[in-house]
Amino acid sequence: MVLTPTRPVPRTWFFADMRGVRVLGLAAGGGQRMPLFAAMGAECTVLDYSERQLASERLVAAREGYEITCVRADMTRPLPFADASFDLIFHPVANCYVEEVLPIWRECARVLRPGGRLLAGLDNGFNYVVDDDEERIVRGLPFNPLRDPDLISEEELPDWGVQFSHTLDEQIRGQIQAGLRLLDLYEDTNGGESRLHRFGIPTFWATLAEKPSES
């Protein structure tokens, strides 16, 4: 199972016994990760804004014969779940489509039970500074088309959507500011035929954070 393009999530990031663990796939629709959690015995909920992604999730669940709760919602707004609803949140790279990420971390902390875990895949922003061939530095950071509409053309929008770069402060320090405790992290590359990958230049982070247990 991956949070970022190539490196698998360490097994130790999950609970030793996943049976009955309440898992939220946050912006994780598409039927790629929840089948694995279901096979571990977890109780699966997936939240995604894309109805197409949720339809794929339902299709896979029906085909493989496991139950899943699918929720269409915007993760930039308060999550439609009660406090302490989940034991584990699995959040693959998706914050690049969100301008402000700290509210998301606060909501993750709210819906996790004490001792619950957040596994997150994060874009470190480097992909936004290079050209399409990854040969030249062509722009600075931050990458924010809402502030500079020239950063993305109308023709590119259907394929790329509106994306935003985020700093380590926002992505990792933001989790700490939301009250989570950072336990582990690693870097990853674009993988595939990417020139940055061939040069070993990291473009993604993955983090494991925990909501502290109540004293």
Side-chain angles (χ1 to χ4, degrees):
M1 195 180 307
V2 295
L3 284 161
T4 55
T6 69
R7 289 185 64 174
V9 176
R11 183 63 182 85
T12 54
W13 284 24
F14 304 106
F15 295 107
D17 186 355
M18 290 292 294
R19 290 174 296 180
V21 170
R22 300 166 298 169
V23 172
L24 170 63
L26 182 60
Q32 300 171 20
R33 291 98 176 176
M34 293 302 106
L36 301 177
F37 281 115
M40 296 179 196
E43 299 175 6
C44 298
T45 299
V46 62
L47 181 148
D48 206 290
Y49 189 72
S50 168
E51 187 55 52
R52 179 180 297 179
Q53 292 287 82
L54 293 176
S56 296
E57 201 72 57
R58 296 187 190 97
L59 178 66
V60 173
R63 184 188 69 203
E64 301 299 327
Y66 62 86
E67 294 185 0
I68 190 167
T69 300
C70 294
V71 178
R72 184 177 185 272
D74 182 349
M75 69 175 177
T76 67
R77 299 180 179 275
L79 299 178
F81 308 112
D83 295 357
S85 292
F86 298 99
D87 304 300
L88 185 147
I89 297 174
F90 193 85
H91 180 47
V93 178
N95 281 348
C96 54
Y97 297 102
V98 173
E99 187 175 16
E100 299 291 338
V101 297
L102 182 56
I104 296 174
W105 300 142
R106 288 173 174 159
E107 279 297 285
C108 286
R110 181 184 67 81
V111 302
L112 277 174
R113 57 122 170 128
R117 295 180 176 182
L118 167 66
L119 285 64
L122 313 168
D123 189 312
N124 72 11
F126 198 82
N127 279 308
Y128 296 107
V129 309
V130 295
D131 62 9
D132 290 343
D133 295 324
E134 301 177 356
E135 294 181 344
R136 297 182 301 117
I137 303 295
V138 294
R139 64 181 67 88
L141 295 175
F143 184 91
N144 187 330
L146 298 184
R147 298 179 185 176
D148 183 0
D150 291 336
L151 288 173
I152 187 166
S153 68
E154 292 290 336
E155 293 76 20
E156 293 174 311
L157 274 175
D159 292 328
W160 291 97
V162 178
Q163 298 187 32
F164 307 88
S165 68
H166 296 294
T167 63
L168 182 148
D169 282 15
E170 294 173 279
Q171 296 280 50
I172 299 178
R173 184 173 179 239
Q175 296 181 37
I176 298 170
Q177 291 175 323
L180 300 169
R181 184 166 65 99
L182 190 65
L183 300 180
D184 201 1
L185 57 83
Y186 59 84
E187 294 180 313
D188 198 6
T189 67
N190 290 335
E193 297 301 315
S194 164
R195 190 164 185 264
L196 295 178
H197 170 69
R198 294 200 304 272
F199 279 99
I201 297 174
T203 48
F204 295 92
W205 300 308
T207 57
L208 168 64
E210 180 182 72
K211 181 174 181 177
S213 298
E214 297 174 338
S215 57

